[in-house]
Amino acid sequence: MSLREYRTINRISGPLLFVEKTSPVGYGELVEIELENGERRRGQVLDTSEEVVVVQVFEGTSGIDTGARVRFIGETLRLPVSEEMLGRVLSGLGEPLDGGPEVMPDERLDITGAAINPYARDTPKEFIQTGISAIDGMNTLVRGQKLPIFSASGLPHNDIALQIARQSKVLGEEEEFAVVFAAMGITNEEAQYFMEDFRRTGALSRAVVFLNLAEDPAIERLVTPRMALTTAEYLAFEYDMQVLVILTDMTNYCEALREVSSAREEVPGRRGYPGYLYTDLATIYERAGRIRGRKGSITQFPILTMPGDDMTHPVPDLTGYITEGQIVLSRELHMRGIYPPINVLMSLSRLMNLGIGEGRTREEHRALADQLYSAYAEGIDMRGLVAIVGKEALTGRDLKYLEFSYEFENKFVNQGREEEREIEETLDIGWDLLAMLPEDELTRLERWQIEKYHPKYRDKEDHPNDGDKADEVRPNRG
Amino acid sequence: MISRVSGPLVVIKGLNPKMYNVIQIGEEKLIGEVVGIEGKKCMVQVYEDTYGIKPGEPAWDTGKPLSVELGPGLIGNIYDGIQRPLPEIREEIGDFVRRGVMAPGLDRTTKWHFVPLSKRGDKVSGGTIIGEVREGSVNHKILVPPGEKPGVITEIEEGEYKVEEPVCLLEDGREITMYHVWPVRRPRPFLERLSPEVPLITGQRILDFLFPVAKGGTAAIPGGFGTGKTVTQQTLAKWCDAEVVIYVGCGERGNEMADVLEEFPKLEDPRTGRPLMERTVLIANTSNMPVAAREASVYTGMTIAEYFRDMGYSVALMADSTSRWAEAMREISSRLEEMPGEEGYPAYLGARLAEFYERAGRVRTLSGDEGSVTVIGAVSPPGGDMSEPVTQNTLRIVKVFWALDYNLAYRRHFPAINWLKSYSLYEDTLRKWFEDRFGEDWTNLRKWTKHVLQQEAELREIVQLVGPEALPPDQRVLLEVARLIRLAFLQQNAFHPVDTYYPPEKQIEYIRAIKRYEEMAYEALRSGVPVERILSVKGKEKLIRVKYEENFVEELRKIIGEMTEEFESLIEEWKYKVE
């Protein structure tokens, strides 16, 4: 390790230092800055040439002057990892926050990671039961998937993320998920909320927490998700664990990236975000998946808030292009008191088909979900119509769809924060709701599926709890 | 010597390379390509991570532009953006792609059974087919490399050869091996362009029947995320009737490539009965792999496609997604500090896209055969906004536009192709081909279908205002016919074993049946049957489900029979009531 120290800072701009007349410095190298008062900060090389080296300072540049000492460490940023990290709370840069000792490293890993060879990837196909009907039934999650939650300020995305972390399981397997939680720029209060829930449910013992809070330096956020994913990769692929990674809030991450980009005076892309935002996000989101011949897996739940509830904002937009679907939260449903307020029509799980069907969930799952979608979409259309022409102008058929759309939200989407529905139960609720509609209209379902599962035909002795009347009210255990 | 490193861009001084020459960078000899020259400095885009690379490290000019190896071993293989075989890379360095590995595009040790198609004394020149080897379901022709001078064969023999061993000797002592290299950015030569008059049959009802693409044509699929670009591309890669398929995953998801890799070897090509993988070449440069290699990946794919075209094959190239390629261009351009054009894209974006799509076409090859490259490019407009530069520049070039629609996708109408916005400029040139094979009524039925859908769109606006009940009976029938067209014909389930692939002969039967329903419905209406009764005819819903039946044609006939009876008895019943 060659230590080279300079006091040749020429320019300071935003989070960046421009250092002159150095000996050759490697791209991406780790930097240590020592202020005159002895304080130490860390940074990374963003651009290197013979004349000038650009350093991005994680803790921000406030208080730094041209007299500060800059040391180039000669290696890229690494995270010490070990299995003992489970149960620990660390800072956004990987330092202990819980008063515990430093992590005794088994290895020190480069946090940028490397791309999984597409040929080495295994197709994600094990169904994860989250116990939430709107996800399990309509947007099924599989192990190794990356499924973001598109939320907005004031919506209960944290509750949903916690409920998923708490309830997720692969049917037929005892093993629980290990959770890696990375907070980027969230408030102290939000962080407390997560921590309390982790402690209450005992989840902390199988969790690694990285906290970069709102008051912490913004530039540090660029490192936090990479620290978390490096840990996740280590646990998943060295210790065969099933790891669930929660990253919140990705919008804060992107803002930090924009800050650095504008300080470098780069040509801005949409809304001032750099043109490489897609590539940069991909290097985070693509670190999910499974590898052939290894037992572990990484499943990602990034959370992001859409500024102004706008899904075409670059952050949700580019995220949607990289992730395998999205869970979209709706302010309207939230106002009506529906939890989880998941907008089923706008949500999507691209890997759903791989995880459902016979032997995984149930044979008719795909067709049932399609039928529920199209019926619900039709009902939503009717709402638009009613707003203009009034209920009187609707035909009897149309009225049934209208009613269906409300019942779907109240009985299928709506459930309790602690309620954990088995997949069978989720699907049966779906069937009960479909019984509201004329049988002829169920064109997405094949005849035999209707005869086997439709409440009208379902053998009552086999299903003593299921009534055959659609309007029978199901007790909401929430 | 390296003078500056900024992400994927490295500035070198002291070398005098030509534009687009391949440069080896640093002690690890990472490879890159010259993308700009300024005085004594040249700008190099590097195909691998540049972490840790320092100014002062050495660099070498290879003197050659970025090229691919063309020969036996391509079929069924999976490459990264610069034709490094991913299976070999995995074997060598493990599950993660790290930098600095080199592996040749074609395996050097496999022996191929070479069968000559030329003989001693034959005159050959660049592009002549001299023999073939069997590779998967493809007869891989061996070509004299284009650009070779003419010569006479003195020796050519059947046998087992490795790709580097000569299979043919010319009188002037030149040796022809089974493979040659070709620079990816230079289009391969051919004799002449032919007009595209044969359709690429995709087995997708909305595409073949309403918006067909010709072999040698160009099509674009723009759509926001979740509208089904990738599913459509993959469905086309599975079922289109090209003889060779090149699938370029350009800056997309790793898990999707894994899915293709798992599925394609298991699926059967409906025409040859062989696994689909045996006609496919995959290029996977996922979004987290180096951005410069992503820029190169579409050219790598195109060059391989042209190579198979030169053997006289019809080739389909799927590029998913061209927007990621354009973004890679933008990223490099911005690091070169070029003056940005629209939305930060370089000013030459349109020119690059045009150059790329122009490499498609149906041609007479140098050996006198007919070959074609059809290009189908996915476009990912930010926010689904089709007015952005990549979509707009693409639409100026391509002849077929399949517009994916958020609203259709939200209601799970798949393929979510908007029938009012999409178009194909090949309708007329392909008309004769379809009519000759599937009946004179093909074109008229297509016009009828579009007309009904168009009228439906207009009526829907009225329905929004007054409700459906207020419409006159004939318009309510029309809405019902349009509904049938949408639910039965246009919706197609890519994941259903029967529905995923519909050959044109089944497509036309299906649309004829819907037309038949329309005729009977109007006849009943004229005979005084109330519209409510017409709309509740039972057979109609069966028309929607019949597409999933194995013996579709038979079942369809049965349903038409039942429907006819039902209508006849309705008319009969109302005859008396009216009287």
Side-chain angles (χ1 to χ4, degrees):
Chain A
M1 207 185 279
S2 63
L3 267 180
R4 291 149 295 156
E5 189 177 288
Y6 300 90
R7 299 182 66 170
T8 51
I9 295 176
N10 166 270
R11 186 155 87 91
I12 302 174
S13 160
L16 304 182
L17 303 179
F18 295 75
V19 189
E20 281 188 327
K21 295 188 214 99
T22 61
S23 63
V25 169
Y27 174 72
E29 227 176 85
L30 189 61
V31 183
E32 209 173 71
I33 300 111
E34 196 180 321
L35 274 57
E36 278 172 4
N37 62 10
E39 188 193 332
R40 284 182 184 195
R41 297 197 188 159
R42 288 201 277 177
Q44 193 177 17
V45 174
L46 281 188
D47 195 326
T48 167
S49 66
E50 292 160 305
E51 298 85 37
V52 66
V53 174
V54 183
V55 177
Q56 140 190 318
V57 186
F58 299 131
E59 292 95 337
T61 47
S62 78
I64 299 185
D65 63 11
T66 50
R69 292 162 196 275
V70 180
R71 267 193 293 274
F72 297 98
I73 309 292
E75 61 166 22
T76 49
L77 191 51
R78 281 164 191 275
L79 174 74
V81 288
S82 92
E83 199 191 1
E84 283 156 23
M85 290 170 87
L86 286 172
R88 298 298 302 271
V89 182
L90 308 167
S91 77
L93 281 173
E95 286 143 353
L97 285 182
D98 52 4
E102 294 274 335
V103 174
M104 287 299 287
D106 289 342
E107 272 182 76
R108 295 176 69 251
L109 298 178
D110 186 338
I111 63 156
T112 42
I116 300 178
N117 184 330
Y119 184 75
R121 277 186 187 267
D122 202 353
T123 323
K125 53 192 159 196
E126 295 119 334
F127 162 64
I128 296 180
Q129 180 178 295
T130 64
I132 297 174
S133 291
I135 296 177
D136 292 352
M138 310 297 283
N139 297 292
T140 317
L141 175 70
V142 294
R143 203 145 75 178
Q145 186 171 8
K146 41 192 181 290
L147 193 62
I149 298 177
F150 286 10
S151 186
S153 43
L155 298 183
H157 44 264
N158 291 340
D159 294 291
I160 298 172
L162 280 170
Q163 191 172 3
I164 290 169
R166 214 164 44 225
Q167 296 181 171
S168 285
K169 58 170 168 254
V170 170
L171 295 181
E173 283 185 29
E174 293 302 305
E175 192 188 348
E176 284 185 285
F177 280 92
V179 177
V180 174
F181 177 78
M184 291 159 277
I186 65 172
T187 61
N188 228 309
E189 206 174 317
E190 279 177 295
Q192 283 308 320
Y193 189 69
F194 273 99
M195 296 305 298
E196 259 163 40
D197 197 84
F198 284 152
R199 282 196 194 99
R200 176 174 66 88
T201 59
L204 192 58
S205 65
R206 49 183 181 89
V208 186
V209 178
F210 290 87
L211 290 182
N212 165 286
L213 302 181
E215 65 201 11
D216 293 334
I219 305 307
E220 190 180 293
R221 280 165 214 160
L222 297 178
V223 177
T224 309
R226 296 187 166 86
M227 294 263 172
L229 286 161
T230 304
T231 311
E233 277 168 357
Y234 182 72
L235 295 175
F237 301 130
E238 299 297 325
Y239 285 92
D240 293 337
M241 289 187 196
Q242 312 302 332
V243 185
L244 204 66
V245 181
I246 299 174
L247 306 169
T248 182
D249 174 336
M250 286 305 288
T251 308
N252 294 336
Y253 169 85
C254 295
E255 263 155 26
L257 198 66
R258 176 165 67 178
E259 191 181 332
V260 172
S261 170
S262 80
R264 291 182 73 186
E265 297 172 5
E266 290 172 330
V267 179
R270 283 204 304 149
R271 300 215 188 179
Y273 290 97
Y276 49 81
L277 182 60
Y278 176 85
T279 306
D280 191 275
L281 285 174
T283 59
I284 294 174
Y285 296 141
E286 274 289 325
R287 291 170 81 172
R290 300 174 59 223
I291 295 179
R292 278 189 281 143
R294 303 203 195 196
K295 279 196 194 129
S297 67
I298 298 178
T299 309
Q300 261 192 42
F301 263 109
I303 298 172
L304 55 90
T305 46
M306 301 182 277
D309 294 8
D310 175 13
M311 211 162 112
T312 65
H313 182 278
V315 176
D317 189 53
L318 294 179
T319 298
Y321 275 120
I322 303 164
T323 53
E324 285 125 0
Q326 67 277 345
I327 301 288
V328 183
L329 303 190
S330 148
R331 194 172 297 280
E332 190 211 326
L333 288 179
H334 180 61
M335 301 296 242
R336 297 220 327 262
I338 286 170
Y339 175 90
I342 294 177
N343 182 331
V344 170
L345 295 183
M346 291 174 98
S347 302
L348 169 75
S349 164
R350 290 164 187 272
L351 303 181
M352 174 170 181
N353 285 330
L354 302 169
I356 61 173
E358 201 171 350
R360 300 209 172 92
T361 53
R362 214 160 72 183
E363 53 190 354
E364 90 292 8
H365 191 156
R366 175 77 262 167
L368 177 70
D370 284 346
Q371 187 66 65
L372 288 168
Y373 268 118
S374 68
Y376 180 51
E378 181 116 28
I380 297 287
D381 277 359
M382 293 308 153
R383 290 190 199 173
L385 201 55
V386 168
I388 301 171
V389 297
K391 264 191 186 178
E392 299 71 30
L394 295 190
T395 61
R397 169 190 173 277
D398 294 348
L399 281 172
K400 281 182 186 152
Y401 276 98
L402 183 69
E403 195 190 340
F404 172 85
S405 72
Y406 286 110
E407 288 296 282
F408 180 78
E409 287 165 2
N410 292 332
K411 292 184 179 155
F412 190 90
V413 177
N414 194 24
Q415 69 184 83
R417 280 171 164 76
E418 303 282 332
E419 181 182 355
E420 192 174 343
R421 289 188 191 150
E422 297 291 320
I423 181 66
E424 295 271 334
E425 186 185 350
T426 291
L427 296 176
D428 287 343
I429 297 174
W431 276 107
D432 289 347
L433 290 167
L434 284 179
M436 296 170 64
L437 302 173
E439 218 177 294
D440 272 353
E441 300 259 335
L442 306 180
T443 56
R444 304 291 180 118
L445 292 155
E446 294 188 49
R447 194 66 228 159
W448 65 268
Q449 293 169 332
I450 295 181
E451 274 162 20
K452 193 161 168 189
Y453 294 106
H454 195 287
K456 190 168 137 196
Y457 303 95
R458 229 185 290 167
D459 190 351
K460 283 179 203 162
E461 280 169 36
D462 283 349
H463 301 266
N465 297 325
D466 292 316
D468 60 352
K469 271 177 283 166
D471 45 4
E472 183 180 294
V473 181
R474 235 161 212 290
N476 190 345
R477 289 184 287 166
Chain B
M1 188 184 81
I2 297 172
S3 95
R4 180 183 166 201
V5 186
S6 169
L9 188 82
V10 172
V11 180
I12 311 279
K13 64 178 186 190
L15 286 182
N16 283 310
K18 297 197 178 74
M19 265 302 259
Y20 294 116
N21 270 9
V22 172
I23 306 287
Q24 292 173 322
I25 306 281
E27 311 290 351
E28 295 173 75
K29 297 199 171 176
L30 308 182
I31 41 178
E33 203 182 10
V34 180
V35 291
I37 297 173
E38 212 181 278
K40 289 215 158 60
K41 289 182 175 176
C42 66
M43 271 60 91
V44 177
Q45 61 172 358
V46 182
Y47 296 127
E48 302 179 70
D49 266 343
T50 51
Y51 280 100
I53 304 290
K54 296 188 181 98
E57 286 190 51
W60 297 269
D61 177 9
T62 62
K64 281 183 285 187
L66 182 68
S67 302
V68 286
E69 295 185 352
L70 302 168
L74 287 171
I75 293 286
N77 216 328
I78 171 166
Y79 294 110
D80 77 351
I82 51 172
Q83 211 207 5
R84 284 181 298 193
L86 291 171
E88 261 106 283
I89 289 186
R90 183 184 187 212
E91 217 156 86
E92 220 166 281
I93 55 163
D95 294 330
F96 292 87
V97 182
R98 286 175 220 284
R99 68 182 187 196
V101 261
M102 263 332 283
L106 299 176
D107 186 53
R108 294 290 189 268
T109 54
T110 317
K111 285 202 163 189
W112 301 92
H113 186 81
F114 173 76
V115 181
L117 295 171
S118 297
K119 54 186 189 310
R120 210 192 140 128
D122 281 356
K123 271 195 183 165
V124 296
S125 57
T128 309
I129 293 168
I130 55 166
E132 64 182 22
V133 301
R134 182 82 187 162
E135 194 184 6
S137 62
V138 176
N139 278 326
H140 192 124
K141 314 276 192 214
I142 305 301
L143 308 172
V144 178
E148 283 283 328
K149 285 189 290 291
V152 176
I153 297 178
T154 53
E155 224 177 280
I156 185 165
E157 222 166 306
E158 183 169 346
E160 311 287 323
Y161 298 91
K162 297 176 188 168
V163 285
E164 282 178 312
E165 291 168 347
V167 291
C168 170
L169 221 73
L170 303 185
E171 58 178 359
D172 54 8
R174 275 181 289 163
E175 289 175 339
I176 310 280
T177 53
M178 283 199 288
Y179 87 107
H180 60 274
V181 293
W182 191 267
V184 296
R185 293 181 201 275
R186 178 158 17 121
R188 287 170 65 89
F190 49 83
L191 280 185
E192 56 167 341
R193 268 187 196 275
L194 304 173
S195 79
E197 49 205 24
V198 180
L200 181 82
I201 298 298
T202 63
Q204 307 307 302
R205 290 184 291 263
I206 185 167
L207 302 187
D208 291 346
F209 190 69
L210 292 184
F211 311 109
V213 61
K215 285 205 171 108
T218 48
I221 318 180
F225 62 84
T227 50
K229 280 184 306 297
T230 301
V231 174
T232 310
Q233 287 273 37
Q234 286 183 5
T235 312
L236 293 176
K238 283 177 202 165
W239 308 128
C240 77
D241 69 341
E243 284 150 307
V244 177
V245 171
I246 318 287
Y247 192 95
V248 185
C250 172
E252 289 288 311
R253 305 175 181 88
N255 278 337
E256 276 167 1
M257 291 314 288
D259 189 25
V260 170
L261 277 172
E262 181 168 310
E263 202 183 12
F264 274 37
K266 288 185 205 151
L267 289 171
E268 218 174 67
D269 184 341
R271 280 159 295 266
T272 60
R274 307 282 304 242
L276 279 172
M277 204 59 199
E278 293 194 356
R279 64 161 197 181
T280 310
V281 183
L282 293 175
I283 295 173
N285 210 85
T286 53
S287 53
N288 56 340
M289 287 159 82
V291 64
R294 188 199 304 167
E295 198 271 330
S297 65
V298 294
Y299 293 102
T300 298
M302 178 55 91
T303 308
I304 295 173
E306 285 176 338
Y307 169 66
F308 283 104
R309 174 202 70 190
D310 290 345
M311 299 174 198
Y313 290 127
S314 60
V315 184
L317 173 79
M318 323 288 170
D320 182 17
S321 151
T322 58
S323 293
R324 305 297 161 232
W325 166 45
E327 278 164 14
M329 260 190 257
R330 172 168 73 182
E331 186 169 342
I332 305 286
S333 163
S334 113
R335 293 201 193 249
L336 284 170
E337 291 166 13
E338 292 173 336
M339 194 63 138
E342 244 183 305
E343 292 197 21
Y345 286 103
Y348 47 78
L349 171 73
R352 289 281 169 84
L353 284 168
E355 269 167 30
F356 172 72
Y357 281 103
E358 272 300 286
R359 288 174 76 171
R362 179 159 165 262
V363 303
R364 171 114 23 237
T365 66
L366 293 179
S367 64
D369 297 310
E370 259 181 51
S372 65
V373 174
T374 313
V375 177
I376 298 167
V379 185
S380 318
D385 168 18
M386 304 260 182
S387 67
E388 58 92 38
V390 181
T391 315
Q392 284 307 313
N393 278 302
T394 304
L395 288 183
R396 295 217 316 259
I397 310 153
V398 299
K399 299 280 193 297
V400 180
F401 173 46
W402 296 323
L404 293 170
D405 191 316
Y406 268 127
N407 287 324
L408 292 174
Y410 287 156
R411 65 191 58 219
R412 291 337 188 233
H413 174 111
F414 285 119
I417 295 171
N418 184 310
W419 47 89
L420 298 173
K421 286 189 192 146
S422 303
Y423 60 80
S424 162
L425 300 181
Y426 296 113
E427 276 178 28
D428 284 333
T429 39
L430 299 177
R431 172 185 179 150
K432 187 170 160 4
W433 193 94
F434 280 115
E435 287 185 356
D436 285 352
R437 280 159 189 81
F438 307 112
E440 298 280 309
D441 52 349
W442 181 278
T443 309
N444 283 338
L445 280 172
R446 183 171 64 212
K447 283 186 184 151
W448 169 77
T449 309
K450 282 190 180 172
H451 188 62
V452 171
L453 292 169
Q454 181 64 47
Q455 280 180 301
E456 184 204 22
E458 287 162 20
L459 285 179
R460 281 198 152 209
E461 284 173 20
I462 301 174
V463 170
Q464 287 292 328
L465 295 176
V466 298
E469 298 277 75
L471 290 183
D474 61 329
Q475 292 188 340
R476 292 184 65 191
V477 171
L478 184 130
L479 282 183
E480 193 58 28
V481 175
R483 178 174 162 262
L484 269 186
I485 294 177
R486 284 189 286 111
L487 295 188
F489 192 78
L490 297 183
Q491 277 188 10
Q492 189 165 0
N493 185 346
F495 302 101
H496 189 279
V498 177
D499 201 27
T500 179
Y501 174 70
Y502 254 61
E505 55 270 26
K506 277 168 81 180
Q507 299 180 13
I508 185 102
E509 288 297 333
Y510 208 179
I511 205 77
R512 277 181 192 138
I514 298 171
K515 181 85 170 74
R516 184 87 194 95
Y517 166 80
E518 186 214 34
E519 287 162 5
M520 290 189 291
Y522 279 128
E523 198 192 325
L525 203 60
R526 277 193 299 275
S527 312
V529 181
V531 67
E532 284 74 19
R533 292 299 305 270
I534 295 175
L535 297 185
S536 58
V537 162
K538 288 259 179 310
K540 191 186 67 189
E541 301 304 323
K542 286 189 188 158
L543 261 185
I544 299 177
R545 282 207 199 96
V546 67
K547 59 181 157 190
Y548 303 120
E549 296 289 338
E550 292 267 5
N551 36 1
F552 165 78
V553 178
E554 219 171 280
E555 291 293 323
L556 190 66
R557 262 188 217 128
K558 252 193 253 169
I559 292 169
I560 296 175
E562 285 170 28
M563 236 165 42
T564 316
E565 271 176 39
E566 215 178 328
F567 270 113
E568 275 166 2
S569 69
L570 269 181
I571 293 173
E572 199 62 22
E573 192 183 325
W574 249 268
K575 221 195 248 164
Y576 298 115
K577 290 195 182 165
V578 172
E579 277 165 14

